[in-house]
Structure formats: C-alpha cells, structure tokens
C-alpha cells in the first residue's frame, strides 16, 4: 500500500523508524521545530568559543590565544577562554607567595655554601670555581668547606693561591683537589631533604655503577669495590646549573685579575643572584630589604673598586657572555 506524501513535499520516512533529518545552523546540528531539545547557539564575543557536545572542534589559528600556525582544542561542551601569558614574569612575587615567610630563610640556607665561598673569594682575591671549560661562569662557587672527589674538604688540602693547578690532599693519596657536589640540592635532587631519616652529612654523589665517589680511586677514578667492573667514575647525576655530567666539569683556581681580563664575574658580581638585588640580599641575610653583608663588602672589606656609588639596588653588569645562571626552585 502506497503511503501518502507529506505536506512539505518531502519523501516519507522509511518504516525503519529512523530519526528525522536535522538542519545545520551556524555549524551546530539543531533538530527541526517541534522537538523538545533546546538549540545551541554560540555566544557573541571574540574571546569565547563554544564547541558542541560529542565533537572536538579546533579554534582557528587566527583567534586570540593561538600562535601563528597553531590551533587550540576546546574541551567538549565547555566555553573556552584563551590564556594570555603575563608580559612581565614576577618571579620573586610568585616564589614568595609559594613559600610565604619561609622564603627568605630557605634562599639563605640553600645558597649559604656558595655565599661563603663568594665572600671569601672577594676578600682574598682567590676565586675557585667549578664549571665547564668553555663557559665564562661558574656552575658552583667553591670554598674551604667544599668537598673533593677523595672525600676530604678543601681545607684538608695543601695551601693554594689563584694560580694553583694541582692542590694535593694532606689526609690521603689524592694528588689534586677536584670538587664534587656535597649536597643533593647541588644536583637538583631536593626531595632528599623531605625524608625524615635523611642525614645530609652522609650523602655522597654516586657513579653509574651505584657506588659513591669515595669508593673510587681519587687519582685514577676507577671503582675500588670488589666485583665491580667500573673503570672510570661516570656520574649518575647532572649539574643543576648546566645539566652536564660531573666529568665534563673542571675545578679552577683563578685570580681577580685573570677573571677581569677574561670577562668572568668577579667582585660583587660573583655573589649569588648578583643581577637581582632582592634575591641577592636574601642569599646574604635572609631578608630582601636588608643588604647587610653586601653593604659591608661595598664599604671596603673586599677587593671591590671604590670609584662608584653602590647601594643595595645597584644593578648587575653582566659579562659579554652573560651569567648563564638557571635558578631551581623547590
């Protein structure tokens, strides 16, 4: 039996019970009039984009928040607002908000060994650094309480000056002082400090053979542990400043004149965070508004030129190659 044609002139729906066709409006599928479901229409405004449920449409690259040649995918059925980064990064403000009143004290504790090494270098004119041979900045400032590969401190080695090449140890057969990180913070492993049973005095840097540097020969660098086939110390860690292995670094003893002639930071520029007065003061005193030790150094305790007016806000004069310092925050 033939079915009667509909008033609109369209063909009748098949007897299979399929849903009626829908018409497209503004890129969204909307049912015909008479349906109880509400239609979706995009809200006006260039900073908002509505994506229909069940689809994953992309916002064109010309929209706000998308870079050239890029697209942004909006979540299903949600309104998307582009995230525009701040023009100026407030690094100190964000860090202070995260750590609150403990921020200054944590900065001072973290950089205390390097601060002491920098002050000692400024006063004596002997700079000891640990860096890559091709770099013009020190990854870590080395002082009298820094640890050697042999396991003993620099203070336990022979006397040295700014032109020393090999400083032997007075307590073992080590022929030359070679700095190695003595704290997990120096290699970016901050989580050790959160362990209740962690003893910072017993921590030692390790080789890929899983033995510490003290279990290796201080001169040949081969492993002394029985049954270990390690023929050379290869660090299982990276430097927190340059992301390079320990064996790629060298320990250098330099004078202030040498660093001045070669464009390497010296004097007040050698202090941690010298280019950021607030953080520099925190590293020295634990307070951002207290220049403290820095002011005393500028008065004349160290070998710093006195032919200029210096305050706690004196900016840093970077060398031609830049400082290269990359701070790591916990």
């Amino acid at each position: 039996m033939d079915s009667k044609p509909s008033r609109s002139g369209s063909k009748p729906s098949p007897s299979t019970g399929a849903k009626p066709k829908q018409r497209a409006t503004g890129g969204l599928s909307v049912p015909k009039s008479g349906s109880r479901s509400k239609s979706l229409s995009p809200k006006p405004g260039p900073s908002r984009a509505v994506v229909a449920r069940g689809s994953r449409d992309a916002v064109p690259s010309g929209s706000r928040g998308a870079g050239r040649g890029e697209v942004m995918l909006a979540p299903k059925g949600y309104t998307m607002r582009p995230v525009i980064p701040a023009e100026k990064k407030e690094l100190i403000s964000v860090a202070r908000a995260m750590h609150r009143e403990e921020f200054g004290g944590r900065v001072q504790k973290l950089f205390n060994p390097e601060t002491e090494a920098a002050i000692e270098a400024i006063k004596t004119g002997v700079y000891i650094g640990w860096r890559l041979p091709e770099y013009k900045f020190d990854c870590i400032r080395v002082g009298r309480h820094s640890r050697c590969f042999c396991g003993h401190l620099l203070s336990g080695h022979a006397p040295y000056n700014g032109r020393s090449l090999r400083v032997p140890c007075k307590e073992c057969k080590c022929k030359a002082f070679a700095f190695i990180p003595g704290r997990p913070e120096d290699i970016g492993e901050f989580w050790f400090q959160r362990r209740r049973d962690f003893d910072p005095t017993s921590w030692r840097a390790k080789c890929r053979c899983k033995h510490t540097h003290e279990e290796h020969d201080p001169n040949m660098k081969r492993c002394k542990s029985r049954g270990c086939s390690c023929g050379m110390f290869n660090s299982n860690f990276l430097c927190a400043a340059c992301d390079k292995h320990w064996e790629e670094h060298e320990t250098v003893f330099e004078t202030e004149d040498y660093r001045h002639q070669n464009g390497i930071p010296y004097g007040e520029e050698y202090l941690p965070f010298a280019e950021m007065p607030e953080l520099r003061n925190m590293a020295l005193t634990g307070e951002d508004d207290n220049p403290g030790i820095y002011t005393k150094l500028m008065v004349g305790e160290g070998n710093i030129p006195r032919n200029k007016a210096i305050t706690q806000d004196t900016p840093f004069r970077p060398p031609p190659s830049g400082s290269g310092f990359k701070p790591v925050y916990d």
Side-chain angles (χ1 to χ4, degrees):
M1 181 177 178
D2 298 337
S3 60
K4 294 181 181 180
S6 62
R7 292 183 180 180
S8 62
S10 60
K11 296 182 180 180
S13 301
S15 59
T16 56
K19 295 181 180 179
K21 292 184 178 181
Q22 298 177 341
R23 52 191 174 91
T25 303
L28 302 177
S29 298
V30 181
K32 286 186 177 182
S33 58
S35 174
R36 295 184 178 179
S37 60
K38 297 180 180 180
S39 60
L40 298 176
S41 59
K43 297 180 180 180
S47 63
R48 303 170 72 90
V50 178
V51 180
R53 294 184 181 276
S55 63
R56 191 176 177 84
D57 297 336
V59 178
S61 60
S63 62
R64 291 177 60 188
R68 182 176 300 177
E70 299 179 355
V71 296
M72 297 177 62
L73 297 178
K76 299 179 180 179
Y78 288 88
T79 300
M80 183 193 69
R81 295 185 179 181
V83 177
I84 302 176
E87 296 180 359
K88 182 180 180 181
K89 297 181 179 179
E90 299 294 343
L91 180 63
I92 300 179
S93 299
V94 173
R96 185 183 285 109
M98 293 174 60
H99 299 278
R100 300 185 180 181
E101 65 275 0
E102 299 179 357
F103 179 56
R106 289 183 177 182
V107 173
Q108 183 183 26
K109 180 180 178 181
L110 178 62
F111 287 93
N112 186 60
E114 290 199 61
T115 299
E116 291 183 353
I119 294 175
E120 181 181 346
I122 293 173
K123 290 182 177 181
T124 62
V126 179
Y127 293 76
I128 310 171
W130 184 65
R131 64 172 182 260
L132 297 179
E134 65 272 17
Y135 279 13
K136 293 289 186 178
F137 64 90
D138 296 327
C139 294
I140 293 181
R141 302 161 183 82
V142 179
R144 297 176 60 255
H145 301 292
S146 298
R147 191 174 302 278
C148 175
F149 185 87
C150 68
H152 300 108
L153 304 182
L154 176 59
S155 57
H157 287 64
Y160 55 87
N161 55 43
R163 294 180 174 84
S164 298
L165 297 177
R166 301 175 69 86
V167 181
C169 184
K170 297 184 296 184
E171 303 179 29
C172 67
K173 298 181 180 180
C174 172
K175 297 180 180 180
F177 177 84
F179 171 81
I180 192 166
R183 304 183 304 165
E185 299 95 314
D186 296 334
I187 58 176
E189 297 181 352
F190 294 93
W191 57 84
F192 279 95
Q193 294 289 351
R194 299 192 183 101
R195 297 179 178 178
R196 294 183 179 179
D197 57 345
F198 175 70
D199 182 9
T201 61
S202 63
W203 184 88
R204 296 293 184 271
K206 291 185 177 181
C207 173
R208 291 181 179 177
C209 69
K210 299 182 180 181
H211 296 110
T212 67
H213 63 89
E214 292 182 344
E215 298 176 279
H216 288 68
D217 185 88
N219 299 313
M220 302 303 296
K221 303 297 187 295
R222 61 172 177 265
C223 188
K224 299 183 296 183
S225 299
R226 180 177 299 180
C228 184
S229 59
C230 174
M232 180 66 66
F233 183 88
N234 291 295
S235 61
N236 70 342
F237 58 89
L238 298 175
C239 171
C242 67
D243 291 335
K244 299 294 183 179
H245 284 279
W246 174 86
E247 53 270 19
E248 301 178 68
H249 292 70
E250 64 178 3
T251 304
V252 296
F253 293 76
E254 298 168 336
T255 63
E256 184 173 301
D257 292 338
Y258 175 85
R259 295 176 76 94
H260 174 68
Q261 296 172 3
N262 290 271
I264 307 175
Y266 68 95
E268 74 271 23
E269 298 175 357
Y270 192 58
L271 292 170
F273 297 114
E275 69 279 13
M276 305 175 70
E278 291 186 18
L279 281 179
R280 178 202 62 205
N281 294 340
M282 287 185 185
L284 290 170
T285 65
E287 302 176 7
D288 58 349
D289 58 349
N290 180 9
I293 304 173
Y294 180 74
T295 301
K296 294 179 63 177
L297 289 174
M298 297 305 100
V299 172
E301 284 194 9
N303 300 324
I304 300 177
R306 303 181 182 87
N307 57 353
K308 58 182 180 180
I310 299 176
T311 66
Q312 71 177 65
D313 296 322
T314 300
F316 169 70
R317 300 188 310 277
S321 60
S323 66
F325 182 74
K326 298 189 297 182
V328 178
Y329 293 96
D330 188 7

